[in-house]
Amino acid sequence: TGSRVVVSRSFADFTPQATFSIKKCDLHLLEEGPPLEAELTRDQGLQYYRTMQTVRRMELKADQLYKQKIIRGFCHLYDGQEACAAGIEAAIGPSDHLITAYRAHGYTFTRGVSVREILAELTGRKGGVAKGKGGSMHMYAPHFYGGNGIVGAQVPLGAGIALACQYQGNHQVCVTLYGDGAANQGQIFEAYNMAALWKLPCIFICENNKYGMGTSVERAAASTEYYKRGDYIPGRGVDGMDVLCVREATKFAADHCRAGKGPIIMELQTYRYHGHSMSDPGVSYRTREEIQEVRTKSDPISMLKERMLSNNMASAEEFKELDVDIRKEVEEAAQFATSDPEPPLDELCNHIFSNNPPLEVRGTTPWSRLTSVS
C-alpha cells in the first residue's frame, strides 16, 4: 500500500489573503470599470482551483468516453474556458439565474450538478441530470436553464428571465451567455433593445473563444469588439483566462443591474483547447502551436496555481492532493456513467407535457395516445 505524504506545515504557515493586480477592462459607455486589484483569500483560491480542475478533468473524461463511442451525438467541451464559469459563479449568488448555449457542462457543474449526473447524462443513462434523455443541450438545475442547442436562442430567453426578476422585484439578475459565433444573430440585437428599453437586470456575456465553429472571429465579424456591440448598452472587454478578472467584472456588472441601471454587456476573451465539437479536430483552421502557446502562457488553472504558490498561499503537495481527489471523483463518475442502465422504453413519453396533452386537433389522427405522467 502506498503511504500518504504527511505535510508537516500547518495552515498558520500560509498567507491567508493576498491582493493581486489584474488586467484593466476595455470600457464602452462607462466612466469607470471594475477595480485593477483583486483580493483573494486562501480558501477562495483553493475553491476556484478545485472548481476549474474538476471541470477540466470532467471534460477530458468526456473526450475519452466519446472516442470510445460511449458518448454519442453532439459533444461540445469547455476545457480552456474554466475561468469564465468559476469567475462568474464567484460573483453571483445561487438565487441569481444563468442560461447558456450547448457548451454547458462547466456551468451545469458550477450550478450544483454533480460530475456523476453530468457524465451519466452524456452517456444517456437514467441517473443523468435529465434522466439520460437530453444530453448537453438539456441540462438543468435550480436557476439554471440549460445549454440551448439553437445558436443564440438562449439570449431572448435570458432577457425574459431578467424580466421575471424585475417583475417579481426579487433583486436577482440573469446572466445570459452566448459565443462569438452567436454574436452576429439578429435575435440578440432584438433582446438588447427590449432589455435596454425596460432596464432589465440582464448581464449579456459573450464568451469569445476566438472561433465560431471553424471560423476565426476576424473572418466572421466586421467588428470583433463584442463588448461594444450593444451600441447604447454599456460594455466591457474582460480577460476571460483570469478567474479574478472575471469575478471582479461580474461583480461590477451585477451591482450595475441590481442598482436598476439596466443591462450591461461583457465580452470574456477566452480560448477553447478542443475543437468546436468532438467531430472537429480543431487543428485545420488553427495551428497546434497556437493552442500550445495559450496552454503555456495563459492557462487559467496554471495561472491561479502559480499565483498562490508564489505568494505562499498553498503548497505544491496540497495541489497534488486536490488533483488526486478530483481524478478519483471523475473516475468514479465515469464508472457510474458507463454502468448505470439506460432509461426504460416506457419512460419515453414522460416529461413531454407539463400537465395534460394539448387538445385534439380536427383532421389529425395520432397512431397512439401519448400520456404524460410527469
Side-chain angles (χ1 to χ4, degrees):
T1 59
S3 59
R4 279 182 78 124
V5 179
V6 179
V7 183
S8 56
R9 297 167 66 185
S10 74
F11 292 127
D13 295 338
F14 294 116
T15 311
Q17 189 169 344
T19 304
F20 297 96
S21 296
I22 53 174
K23 203 170 157 190
K24 188 177 190 297
C25 291
D26 299 314
L27 303 180
H28 171 64
L29 295 186
L30 286 166
E31 295 287 309
E32 56 180 333
L36 300 181
E37 288 190 333
E39 282 186 0
L40 179 70
T41 66
R42 176 183 140 79
D43 289 348
Q44 285 171 338
L46 291 173
Q47 185 196 338
Y48 303 161
Y49 180 85
R50 179 183 274 280
T51 299
M52 294 196 290
Q53 190 70 294
T54 305
V55 172
R56 175 76 50 93
R57 291 272 147 230
M58 174 176 75
E59 296 298 59
L60 293 176
K61 180 53 73 177
D63 166 89
Q64 199 182 339
L65 293 171
Y66 197 95
K67 286 168 178 161
Q68 291 168 349
K69 294 191 165 56
I70 296 169
I71 293 175
R72 299 296 193 116
F74 297 103
C75 186
H76 304 80
L77 302 181
Y78 198 70
D79 51 323
Q81 300 184 207
E82 297 90 349
C84 300
I88 289 168
E89 289 291 5
I92 59 172
S95 63
D96 289 312
H97 307 262
L98 194 143
I99 186 167
T100 186
Y102 38 71
R103 201 179 300 284
H105 312 157
Y107 290 101
T108 311
F109 176 72
T110 60
R111 288 268 99 184
V113 178
S114 66
V115 177
R116 173 187 165 108
E117 287 173 286
I118 295 169
L119 289 181
E121 187 57 41
L122 292 176
T123 56
R125 310 305 168 105
K126 67 179 193 182
V129 60
K131 303 190 190 308
K133 297 193 283 187
S136 306
M137 308 195 191
H138 300 274
M139 291 187 175
Y140 307 103
H143 303 281
F144 175 58
Y145 306 84
N148 291 258
I150 305 297
V151 177
Q154 71 279 10
V155 179
L157 296 178
I161 296 164
L163 174 62
C165 294
Q166 186 190 62
Y167 186 74
Q168 292 170 347
N170 55 24
H171 211 54
Q172 293 165 2
V173 300
C174 181
V175 174
T176 303
L177 294 127
Y178 53 98
D180 50 277
N184 302 314
Q185 278 274 331
Q187 58 192 332
I188 287 179
F189 297 90
E190 295 174 39
Y192 285 169
N193 183 52
M194 303 298 268
L197 269 177
W198 296 341
K199 287 199 165 13
L200 301 182
C202 190
I203 307 173
F204 293 105
I205 300 185
C206 174
E207 287 185 286
N208 174 8
N209 62 22
K210 312 287 189 282
Y211 296 93
M213 296 189 75
T215 308
S216 70
V217 290
E218 289 79 11
R219 290 180 59 216
S223 163
T224 58
E225 293 180 308
Y226 296 101
Y227 66 97
K228 292 183 178 175
R229 290 285 192 92
D231 184 13
Y232 40 78
I233 299 175
R236 277 121 359 104
V238 181
D239 179 359
M241 298 304 264
D242 179 351
V243 69
L244 296 182
C245 267
V246 178
R247 185 190 73 184
E248 294 306 314
T250 309
K251 266 187 194 161
F252 180 94
D255 291 344
H256 176 98
C257 289
R258 292 192 220 278
K261 295 178 185 173
I264 191 163
I265 291 172
M266 269 166 62
E267 175 194 344
L268 298 181
Q269 288 133 8
T270 182
Y271 199 81
R272 57 170 160 81
Y273 294 157
H274 266 86
H276 169 71
S277 71
M278 283 301 295
S279 57
D280 161 27
V283 288
S284 55
Y285 49 86
R286 58 182 185 177
T287 62
R288 289 179 198 277
E289 290 73 37
E290 176 184 310
I291 305 167
Q292 199 45 48
E293 188 180 5
V294 177
R295 277 183 187 276
T296 314
K297 290 186 180 166
S298 49
D299 181 78
I301 300 174
S302 308
M303 273 166 60
L304 176 66
K305 185 177 171 180
E306 280 311 307
R307 266 181 175 153
M308 291 186 72
L309 287 173
S310 58
N311 284 271
N312 190 35
M313 294 179 82
S315 67
E317 289 82 9
E318 269 183 297
F319 285 121
K320 278 196 190 113
E321 283 190 13
L322 268 175
D323 292 348
V324 169
D325 285 351
I326 291 164
R327 275 174 199 265
K328 185 166 174 270
E329 183 189 346
V330 172
E331 276 311 318
E332 284 170 4
Q335 207 58 48
F336 174 74
T338 48
S339 58
D340 191 49
E342 293 183 356
L345 207 54
D346 57 13
E347 279 224 348
L348 190 65
C349 300
N350 296 352
H351 308 105
I352 294 175
F353 307 112
S354 64
N355 40 38
N356 298 318
L359 297 169
E360 284 186 50
V361 179
R362 190 178 63 192
T364 65
T365 46
W367 291 328
S368 63
R369 287 289 171 91
L370 295 181
T371 55
S372 174
V373 296
S374 51

